[in-house]
Amino acid sequence: MVKTAVCRRGFLAKPWVVVGGSLALAAVLLALRFRPVSSPVEGRSLVLYCAAGLRAPVAEICAEYQREYGVEVRAEYGGSGALLSRLKLAPERADLFLAAEESYLREARAMKLVAEILPAARQHPVIAVAAGNPKGIRTPADLLRSEVSVALPNPELAAVGRAVQRVLAGSNQWERLSARIQGPEAKVSLVGTVNEAAQAAKLGAADAALVWDATARQFGLEYIEPAEFVERATEQVAIGVSSGTAQPTAALHFARYLTARDRGQPIWEKHSLAPLDDADAWEDRPEIVLMSGAMLKPAVDEQIKEFAEREGVSINTIYAGCGIHVAQMKALKKGDTAPQRFPDAYFACDCSFMTQVQQWFGAAKNISRNDIVLAVAKGNPKQVRSVQDLTRPELRIGLGHPKNSALGAITDDLLKKIGLHEKVYRADRKQPVVHTDAGHDLVNKLRVGALDLAVVYRSNVLSHAKTGEEYIDAVEMNLPEAIAIQPYAVAKESKHKYLMRRLLEKFLSPQSHERFTGVGFHWVAEEPR
């Protein structure tokens, strides 16, 4: 088990205009008027494996998407479990997998069958009954009565069956219900999909059927909502991008559309599914602002570019000292700066700089730790041995800016705590201490001989192989205070919270772990399952 470090602190033409007497040209202009906005998915087609109970809303969303973007989404319906089995056999056959319960997507991701998972809506099981509920069914226990016939979706094939099984197994009711499937007076029929169960109740072929609440409403059925179903079996409908797809960006474009607050969400709600809380706004190509500590660039820059390309989004990553970021965010909230956007997410150099703006962000996730070291020229010609050498007046010293950067603030606090602050800034120093907003600037000054000694992050030394191998040596401080912990958080007011959470998942991946440790960071986060 990995322990998490504790924080220290186009134009539109009028269709009736005839140019040069050409009706053909007018027709072209008319076509342009209704042509969808240019998109990276234009002209493609997608295959979607979709849970059968979601047919009605999904068919409508697919039709709207094709109307808007000219992309056909061919949905193939079945039970969530059955579709997962098909995906196992040939993941390249589908671009997307939409399950009635998110656990199927988590299973698929564990088997490396899907990559991204996007929540879409919520639903819970109910007991649908024949018109007028002639058998007086009120609770799951009533399904065990000998005279009651039940249509039960197979838990190996259908998500609703799995959800009900989880709830009833603890009270032994599931086992007793399953026992009624066989025998001379069998009254429980296993069906493959939730729609088949609902149809049985509607036609009177069963006194009761276990279905989703949305399915019951779509079929016009009366139903009972047991409290334990609502409280313990409300499930998330989710869509995953198949790892076998040859067009992940197009697949993600549709997945974002299907889950967007102003595209898919109204249709989910129209068909009786509960919408997402604070779903992302729809944009064909979202433009994201990410503020990141400059020290993180070697670990995250390529990852951000990969993420943006795969998702089909634009990410404006602003690298700077975290003191500068905090000041800018506070100014933006006060309206004291030129018009610009508050960031959608913030990747801080240290917890202390996240704390200062935490009220504007959701819960922060600690990802990495960076040790602070003494950097000297290769071979250590000045014989630097410890933090005490910062007090030597003949040395040209470089430190992070105490207000503009996390590195500088931590260093300044450290020097005060160990009683060296006044000695480092002593009046008889031959040259004043040099301050910069970022550790890599200090390393560059060391490389060109402008400094003898600098306090930097280990990653500043190791981020480029030649720096650590040919130009700079690191002298350990061996002080518990000489560390910084890097947290990531999504802004509460971002219109793309789910998108930014997927970027967090990217940062938490095993591949990201390797990148962080490869440039000198220590890993403190648990990777997502």
Short mmCIF file of all heavy atoms in Angstrom, two decimals, residues 217-268:
data_model
loop_
_atom_site.label_atom_id
_atom_site.label_comp_id
_atom_site.label_asym_id
_atom_site.label_seq_id
_atom_site.Cartn_x
_atom_site.Cartn_y
_atom_site.Cartn_z
N ARG A 217 -41.19 3.75 -15.96
CA ARG A 217 -41.91 4.94 -16.44
C ARG A 217 -42.02 4.94 -17.96
O ARG A 217 -43.05 5.33 -18.52
CB ARG A 217 -41.21 6.20 -15.93
CG ARG A 217 -41.43 6.42 -14.42
CD ARG A 217 -40.97 7.80 -13.99
NE ARG A 217 -39.52 7.92 -13.93
CZ ARG A 217 -38.79 7.67 -12.84
NH1 ARG A 217 -39.38 7.27 -11.73
NH2 ARG A 217 -37.48 7.82 -12.87
N GLN A 218 -40.95 4.51 -18.64
CA GLN A 218 -40.99 4.47 -20.11
C GLN A 218 -42.05 3.49 -20.61
O GLN A 218 -42.68 3.72 -21.66
CB GLN A 218 -39.61 4.09 -20.66
CG GLN A 218 -38.54 5.16 -20.47
CD GLN A 218 -37.13 4.63 -20.72
OE1 GLN A 218 -36.96 3.57 -21.32
NE2 GLN A 218 -36.14 5.36 -20.25
N PHE A 219 -42.29 2.40 -19.87
CA PHE A 219 -43.30 1.40 -20.26
C PHE A 219 -44.68 1.71 -19.69
O PHE A 219 -45.62 0.96 -19.92
CB PHE A 219 -42.84 0.01 -19.80
CG PHE A 219 -41.91 -0.68 -20.76
CD1 PHE A 219 -40.57 -0.32 -20.82
CD2 PHE A 219 -42.36 -1.67 -21.61
CE1 PHE A 219 -39.70 -0.96 -21.69
CE2 PHE A 219 -41.49 -2.31 -22.49
CZ PHE A 219 -40.15 -1.95 -22.54
N GLY A 220 -44.78 2.79 -18.94
CA GLY A 220 -46.06 3.15 -18.35
C GLY A 220 -46.53 2.20 -17.28
O GLY A 220 -47.75 1.96 -17.13
N LEU A 221 -45.61 1.63 -16.52
CA LEU A 221 -45.95 0.63 -15.52
C LEU A 221 -46.12 1.25 -14.13
O LEU A 221 -45.46 2.24 -13.79
CB LEU A 221 -44.84 -0.43 -15.45
CG LEU A 221 -44.64 -1.30 -16.70
CD1 LEU A 221 -43.35 -2.09 -16.57
CD2 LEU A 221 -45.83 -2.22 -16.90
N GLU A 222 -46.98 0.64 -13.36
CA GLU A 222 -47.03 0.98 -11.94
C GLU A 222 -45.83 0.30 -11.26
O GLU A 222 -45.38 -0.77 -11.69
CB GLU A 222 -48.32 0.44 -11.30
CG GLU A 222 -49.58 1.09 -11.84
CD GLU A 222 -50.83 0.53 -11.15
OE1 GLU A 222 -50.73 0.15 -9.96
OE2 GLU A 222 -51.88 0.46 -11.82
N TYR A 223 -45.30 0.93 -10.22
CA TYR A 223 -44.13 0.32 -9.58
C TYR A 223 -44.03 0.73 -8.12
O TYR A 223 -44.60 1.74 -7.69
CB TYR A 223 -42.84 0.67 -10.32
CG TYR A 223 -42.52 2.14 -10.40
CD1 TYR A 223 -41.74 2.76 -9.41
CD2 TYR A 223 -42.96 2.92 -11.47
CE1 TYR A 223 -41.43 4.10 -9.50
CE2 TYR A 223 -42.66 4.26 -11.56
CZ TYR A 223 -41.89 4.85 -10.57
OH TYR A 223 -41.59 6.18 -10.65
N ILE A 224 -43.30 -0.08 -7.38
CA ILE A 224 -43.04 0.17 -5.97
C ILE A 224 -41.54 0.46 -5.83
O ILE A 224 -40.71 -0.20 -6.46
CB ILE A 224 -43.42 -1.06 -5.10
CG1 ILE A 224 -44.94 -1.26 -5.10
CG2 ILE A 224 -42.92 -0.91 -3.68
CD1 ILE A 224 -45.42 -2.16 -6.20
N GLU A 225 -41.20 1.44 -5.00
CA GLU A 225 -39.79 1.81 -4.78
C GLU A 225 -39.37 1.43 -3.36
O GLU A 225 -39.50 2.23 -2.44
CB GLU A 225 -39.58 3.30 -4.98
CG GLU A 225 -39.80 3.79 -6.40
CD GLU A 225 -39.50 5.28 -6.51
OE1 GLU A 225 -40.34 6.08 -6.01
OE2 GLU A 225 -38.46 5.66 -7.08
N PRO A 226 -38.90 0.22 -3.14
CA PRO A 226 -38.43 -0.14 -1.80
C PRO A 226 -37.29 0.78 -1.36
O PRO A 226 -36.42 1.12 -2.16
CB PRO A 226 -37.94 -1.59 -1.98
CG PRO A 226 -38.64 -2.09 -3.21
CD PRO A 226 -38.77 -0.90 -4.09
N ALA A 227 -37.31 1.16 -0.11
CA ALA A 227 -36.30 2.10 0.40
C ALA A 227 -34.89 1.56 0.20
O ALA A 227 -33.96 2.31 -0.14
CB ALA A 227 -36.55 2.37 1.88
N GLU A 228 -34.72 0.25 0.39
CA GLU A 228 -33.36 -0.30 0.25
C GLU A 228 -32.86 -0.23 -1.19
O GLU A 228 -31.66 -0.13 -1.43
CB GLU A 228 -33.30 -1.75 0.76
CG GLU A 228 -34.26 -2.72 0.07
CD GLU A 228 -35.56 -2.91 0.82
OE1 GLU A 228 -36.17 -1.88 1.21
OE2 GLU A 228 -35.96 -4.06 1.03
N PHE A 229 -33.77 -0.25 -2.16
CA PHE A 229 -33.36 -0.11 -3.55
C PHE A 229 -32.88 1.31 -3.83
O PHE A 229 -31.88 1.53 -4.51
CB PHE A 229 -34.52 -0.44 -4.50
CG PHE A 229 -34.82 -1.91 -4.63
CD1 PHE A 229 -34.14 -2.86 -3.87
CD2 PHE A 229 -35.78 -2.36 -5.52
CE1 PHE A 229 -34.42 -4.22 -3.99
CE2 PHE A 229 -36.06 -3.71 -5.67
CZ PHE A 229 -35.39 -4.65 -4.90
N VAL A 230 -33.60 2.28 -3.30
CA VAL A 230 -33.24 3.68 -3.54
C VAL A 230 -31.94 4.03 -2.81
O VAL A 230 -31.04 4.67 -3.36
CB VAL A 230 -34.37 4.62 -3.08
CG1 VAL A 230 -33.98 6.08 -3.27
CG2 VAL A 230 -35.66 4.31 -3.85
N GLU A 231 -31.83 3.56 -1.57
CA GLU A 231 -30.69 3.93 -0.74
C GLU A 231 -29.41 3.17 -1.08
O GLU A 231 -28.32 3.73 -0.98
CB GLU A 231 -31.03 3.71 0.74
CG GLU A 231 -32.15 4.62 1.25
CD GLU A 231 -32.69 4.19 2.60
OE1 GLU A 231 -32.13 3.22 3.17
OE2 GLU A 231 -33.67 4.79 3.07
N ARG A 232 -29.56 1.92 -1.50
CA ARG A 232 -28.37 1.09 -1.67
C ARG A 232 -28.12 0.63 -3.09
O ARG A 232 -27.11 -0.03 -3.36
CB ARG A 232 -28.47 -0.14 -0.75
CG ARG A 232 -28.48 0.23 0.73
CD ARG A 232 -28.96 -0.92 1.61
NE ARG A 232 -28.27 -2.17 1.30
CZ ARG A 232 -28.74 -3.37 1.62
NH1 ARG A 232 -29.92 -3.47 2.23
NH2 ARG A 232 -28.06 -4.45 1.31
N ALA A 233 -29.00 0.97 -4.02
CA ALA A 233 -28.82 0.47 -5.39
C ALA A 233 -29.04 1.54 -6.45
O ALA A 233 -29.31 1.22 -7.61
CB ALA A 233 -29.74 -0.73 -5.65
N THR A 234 -28.94 2.82 -6.06
CA THR A 234 -28.97 3.87 -7.08
C THR A 234 -27.66 3.79 -7.86
O THR A 234 -26.58 3.91 -7.27
CB THR A 234 -29.16 5.25 -6.46
OG1 THR A 234 -30.45 5.32 -5.86
CG2 THR A 234 -29.04 6.34 -7.52
N GLU A 235 -27.76 3.55 -9.14
CA GLU A 235 -26.58 3.28 -9.95
C GLU A 235 -26.33 4.38 -10.98
O GLU A 235 -27.24 5.07 -11.41
CB GLU A 235 -26.73 1.93 -10.68
CG GLU A 235 -26.98 0.75 -9.77
CD GLU A 235 -25.80 0.44 -8.87
OE1 GLU A 235 -24.69 0.93 -9.14
OE2 GLU A 235 -25.98 -0.32 -7.90
N GLN A 236 -25.07 4.49 -11.35
CA GLN A 236 -24.67 5.48 -12.34
C GLN A 236 -24.61 4.84 -13.72
O GLN A 236 -23.91 3.84 -13.93
CB GLN A 236 -23.29 6.01 -11.98
CG GLN A 236 -22.85 7.20 -12.81
CD GLN A 236 -22.73 8.45 -11.96
OE1 GLN A 236 -23.63 9.28 -11.94
NE2 GLN A 236 -21.65 8.58 -11.26
N VAL A 237 -25.38 5.38 -14.64
CA VAL A 237 -25.23 5.01 -16.05
C VAL A 237 -23.94 5.66 -16.52
O VAL A 237 -23.67 6.82 -16.24
CB VAL A 237 -26.42 5.53 -16.88
CG1 VAL A 237 -26.20 5.28 -18.36
CG2 VAL A 237 -27.71 4.87 -16.41
N ALA A 238 -23.09 4.91 -17.22
CA ALA A 238 -21.80 5.46 -17.63
C ALA A 238 -21.41 4.93 -19.00
O ALA A 238 -21.81 3.84 -19.40
CB ALA A 238 -20.71 5.12 -16.61
N ILE A 239 -20.62 5.73 -19.70
CA ILE A 239 -20.14 5.36 -21.03
C ILE A 239 -18.62 5.31 -21.01
O ILE A 239 -17.96 6.15 -20.41
CB ILE A 239 -20.67 6.35 -22.10
CG1 ILE A 239 -20.30 5.84 -23.50
CG2 ILE A 239 -20.16 7.77 -21.87
CD1 ILE A 239 -21.02 6.59 -24.61
N GLY A 240 -18.08 4.28 -21.65
CA GLY A 240 -16.63 4.13 -21.71
C GLY A 240 -16.15 4.09 -23.14
O GLY A 240 -16.86 3.65 -24.05
N VAL A 241 -14.92 4.56 -23.33
CA VAL A 241 -14.30 4.54 -24.65
C VAL A 241 -13.53 3.23 -24.79
O VAL A 241 -12.65 2.93 -23.97
CB VAL A 241 -13.36 5.74 -24.85
CG1 VAL A 241 -12.64 5.65 -26.20
CG2 VAL A 241 -14.14 7.04 -24.75
N SER A 242 -13.85 2.44 -25.78
CA SER A 242 -13.21 1.14 -25.98
C SER A 242 -11.72 1.32 -26.23
O SER A 242 -11.30 2.17 -27.01
CB SER A 242 -13.86 0.41 -27.16
OG SER A 242 -13.10 -0.71 -27.53
N SER A 243 -10.93 0.48 -25.58
CA SER A 243 -9.49 0.53 -25.82
C SER A 243 -9.14 0.04 -27.21
O SER A 243 -8.03 0.28 -27.70
CB SER A 243 -8.76 -0.32 -24.77
OG SER A 243 -9.21 -1.67 -24.83
N GLY A 244 -10.08 -0.64 -27.87
CA GLY A 244 -9.82 -1.13 -29.21
C GLY A 244 -10.24 -0.18 -30.31
O GLY A 244 -10.00 -0.46 -31.50
N THR A 245 -10.82 0.96 -29.97
CA THR A 245 -11.27 1.89 -31.01
C THR A 245 -10.09 2.46 -31.79
O THR A 245 -9.03 2.76 -31.22
CB THR A 245 -12.10 3.03 -30.42
OG1 THR A 245 -12.52 3.91 -31.49
CG2 THR A 245 -11.31 3.84 -29.41
N ALA A 246 -10.31 2.66 -33.07
CA ALA A 246 -9.29 3.31 -33.91
C ALA A 246 -9.51 4.81 -33.97
O ALA A 246 -8.73 5.53 -34.59
CB ALA A 246 -9.33 2.71 -35.32
N GLN A 247 -10.56 5.30 -33.32
CA GLN A 247 -10.88 6.73 -33.37
C GLN A 247 -11.30 7.23 -31.98
O GLN A 247 -12.45 7.60 -31.77
CB GLN A 247 -11.96 6.99 -34.40
CG GLN A 247 -13.12 6.00 -34.39
CD GLN A 247 -14.07 6.21 -35.56
OE1 GLN A 247 -13.98 7.17 -36.32
NE2 GLN A 247 -15.02 5.31 -35.69
N PRO A 248 -10.37 7.25 -31.04
CA PRO A 248 -10.71 7.65 -29.67
C PRO A 248 -11.20 9.09 -29.55
O PRO A 248 -12.06 9.37 -28.73
CB PRO A 248 -9.39 7.44 -28.91
CG PRO A 248 -8.32 7.50 -29.96
CD PRO A 248 -8.93 6.90 -31.17
N THR A 249 -10.66 10.01 -30.35
CA THR A 249 -11.09 11.40 -30.26
C THR A 249 -12.54 11.55 -30.68
O THR A 249 -13.33 12.27 -30.04
CB THR A 249 -10.18 12.30 -31.11
OG1 THR A 249 -8.82 12.12 -30.68
CG2 THR A 249 -10.55 13.77 -30.95
N ALA A 250 -12.92 10.87 -31.76
CA ALA A 250 -14.31 10.91 -32.21
C ALA A 250 -15.22 10.26 -31.17
O ALA A 250 -16.33 10.75 -30.90
CB ALA A 250 -14.45 10.20 -33.55
N ALA A 251 -14.76 9.16 -30.58
CA ALA A 251 -15.56 8.49 -29.55
C ALA A 251 -15.75 9.39 -28.34
O ALA A 251 -16.85 9.49 -27.78
CB ALA A 251 -14.89 7.18 -29.14
N LEU A 252 -14.70 10.07 -27.92
CA LEU A 252 -14.81 10.97 -26.78
C LEU A 252 -15.70 12.17 -27.09
O LEU A 252 -16.42 12.67 -26.22
CB LEU A 252 -13.41 11.45 -26.37
CG LEU A 252 -12.64 10.48 -25.48
CD1 LEU A 252 -11.15 10.79 -25.51
CD2 LEU A 252 -13.16 10.53 -24.05
N HIS A 253 -15.67 12.63 -28.32
CA HIS A 253 -16.53 13.75 -28.73
C HIS A 253 -18.00 13.38 -28.52
O HIS A 253 -18.78 14.14 -27.92
CB HIS A 253 -16.27 14.08 -30.20
CG HIS A 253 -16.91 15.34 -30.69
ND1 HIS A 253 -18.17 15.37 -31.24
CD2 HIS A 253 -16.46 16.63 -30.71
CE1 HIS A 253 -18.47 16.62 -31.60
NE2 HIS A 253 -17.45 17.41 -31.29
N PHE A 254 -18.38 12.17 -28.97
CA PHE A 254 -19.77 11.73 -28.76
C PHE A 254 -20.06 11.51 -27.28
O PHE A 254 -21.15 11.87 -26.79
CB PHE A 254 -20.06 10.45 -29.54
CG PHE A 254 -21.42 9.89 -29.25
CD1 PHE A 254 -22.56 10.50 -29.75
CD2 PHE A 254 -21.58 8.78 -28.43
CE1 PHE A 254 -23.84 10.00 -29.45
CE2 PHE A 254 -22.83 8.27 -28.13
CZ PHE A 254 -23.96 8.89 -28.65
N ALA A 255 -19.11 10.92 -26.56
CA ALA A 255 -19.33 10.67 -25.13
C ALA A 255 -19.55 11.99 -24.38
O ALA A 255 -20.40 12.06 -23.49
CB ALA A 255 -18.15 9.91 -24.55
N ARG A 256 -18.78 13.01 -24.72
CA ARG A 256 -18.97 14.32 -24.08
C ARG A 256 -20.35 14.89 -24.43
O ARG A 256 -21.01 15.50 -23.59
CB ARG A 256 -17.87 15.29 -24.50
CG ARG A 256 -16.51 14.99 -23.90
CD ARG A 256 -15.53 16.14 -24.07
NE ARG A 256 -15.17 16.42 -25.44
CZ ARG A 256 -15.61 17.44 -26.15
NH1 ARG A 256 -16.48 18.30 -25.62
NH2 ARG A 256 -15.22 17.63 -27.39
N TYR A 257 -20.79 14.70 -25.69
CA TYR A 257 -22.10 15.17 -26.13
C TYR A 257 -23.21 14.47 -25.36
O TYR A 257 -24.14 15.09 -24.85
CB TYR A 257 -22.23 14.90 -27.62
CG TYR A 257 -23.47 15.46 -28.30
CD1 TYR A 257 -23.40 16.67 -29.00
CD2 TYR A 257 -24.69 14.78 -28.28
CE1 TYR A 257 -24.53 17.18 -29.65
CE2 TYR A 257 -25.80 15.27 -28.92
CZ TYR A 257 -25.71 16.47 -29.60
OH TYR A 257 -26.82 16.98 -30.24
N LEU A 258 -23.09 13.15 -25.26
CA LEU A 258 -24.12 12.35 -24.59
C LEU A 258 -24.27 12.72 -23.11
O LEU A 258 -25.35 12.60 -22.54
CB LEU A 258 -23.74 10.88 -24.74
CG LEU A 258 -24.65 9.84 -24.08
CD1 LEU A 258 -24.93 8.69 -25.04
CD2 LEU A 258 -24.00 9.28 -22.81
N THR A 259 -23.20 13.20 -22.49
CA THR A 259 -23.23 13.52 -21.06
C THR A 259 -23.35 15.01 -20.78
O THR A 259 -23.46 15.40 -19.61
CB THR A 259 -21.96 12.99 -20.38
OG1 THR A 259 -20.80 13.58 -20.98
CG2 THR A 259 -21.84 11.48 -20.51
N ALA A 260 -23.32 15.87 -21.80
CA ALA A 260 -23.29 17.32 -21.59
C ALA A 260 -24.61 17.86 -21.05
O ALA A 260 -25.70 17.37 -21.41
CB ALA A 260 -22.95 18.04 -22.90
N ARG A 261 -24.51 18.88 -20.22
CA ARG A 261 -25.70 19.45 -19.57
C ARG A 261 -26.69 20.04 -20.56
O ARG A 261 -27.90 20.07 -20.29
CB ARG A 261 -25.28 20.52 -18.56
CG ARG A 261 -24.80 21.83 -19.16
CD ARG A 261 -24.51 22.90 -18.13
NE ARG A 261 -23.28 22.64 -17.40
CZ ARG A 261 -22.57 23.60 -16.82
NH1 ARG A 261 -22.95 24.87 -16.88
NH2 ARG A 261 -21.45 23.30 -16.18
N ASP A 262 -26.20 20.54 -21.72
CA ASP A 262 -27.09 21.18 -22.69
C ASP A 262 -27.21 20.38 -23.99
O ASP A 262 -27.60 20.92 -25.01
CB ASP A 262 -26.61 22.61 -23.00
CG ASP A 262 -25.10 22.70 -23.20
OD1 ASP A 262 -24.42 21.68 -23.04
OD2 ASP A 262 -24.61 23.81 -23.50
N ARG A 263 -26.90 19.10 -23.94
CA ARG A 263 -27.12 18.20 -25.07
C ARG A 263 -27.77 16.91 -24.57
O ARG A 263 -28.97 16.76 -24.64
CB ARG A 263 -25.79 17.90 -25.80
CG ARG A 263 -25.22 19.09 -26.58
CD ARG A 263 -26.15 19.56 -27.67
NE ARG A 263 -25.51 20.52 -28.57
CZ ARG A 263 -25.42 21.83 -28.34
NH1 ARG A 263 -25.88 22.33 -27.20
NH2 ARG A 263 -24.86 22.64 -29.22
N GLY A 264 -26.99 15.99 -24.05
CA GLY A 264 -27.56 14.72 -23.62
C GLY A 264 -28.41 14.78 -22.37
O GLY A 264 -29.43 14.07 -22.27
N GLN A 265 -28.03 15.60 -21.40
CA GLN A 265 -28.72 15.59 -20.10
C GLN A 265 -30.22 15.86 -20.19
O GLN A 265 -31.01 15.15 -19.55
CB GLN A 265 -28.06 16.57 -19.14
CG GLN A 265 -26.68 16.15 -18.67
CD GLN A 265 -26.70 14.85 -17.89
OE1 GLN A 265 -27.43 14.69 -16.94
NE2 GLN A 265 -25.89 13.88 -18.33
N PRO A 266 -30.69 16.86 -20.95
CA PRO A 266 -32.15 17.07 -21.05
C PRO A 266 -32.88 15.85 -21.61
O PRO A 266 -34.03 15.58 -21.24
CB PRO A 266 -32.27 18.27 -21.99
CG PRO A 266 -30.96 18.98 -21.88
CD PRO A 266 -29.95 17.90 -21.69
N ILE A 267 -32.21 15.10 -22.49
CA ILE A 267 -32.85 13.92 -23.07
C ILE A 267 -32.89 12.78 -22.05
O ILE A 267 -33.91 12.08 -21.95
CB ILE A 267 -32.11 13.49 -24.36
CG1 ILE A 267 -32.21 14.62 -25.40
CG2 ILE A 267 -32.70 12.19 -24.92
CD1 ILE A 267 -31.42 14.38 -26.67
N TRP A 268 -31.82 12.62 -21.27
CA TRP A 268 -31.87 11.63 -20.20
C TRP A 268 -33.03 11.94 -19.24
O TRP A 268 -33.79 11.04 -18.86
CB TRP A 268 -30.57 11.63 -19.40
CG TRP A 268 -29.38 11.06 -20.12
CD1 TRP A 268 -28.26 11.73 -20.50
CD2 TRP A 268 -29.18 9.70 -20.53
NE1 TRP A 268 -27.37 10.88 -21.12
CE2 TRP A 268 -27.91 9.63 -21.15
CE3 TRP A 268 -29.95 8.55 -20.43
CZ2 TRP A 268 -27.41 8.44 -21.67
CZ3 TRP A 268 -29.45 7.36 -20.95
CH2 TRP A 268 -28.19 7.31 -21.56
#
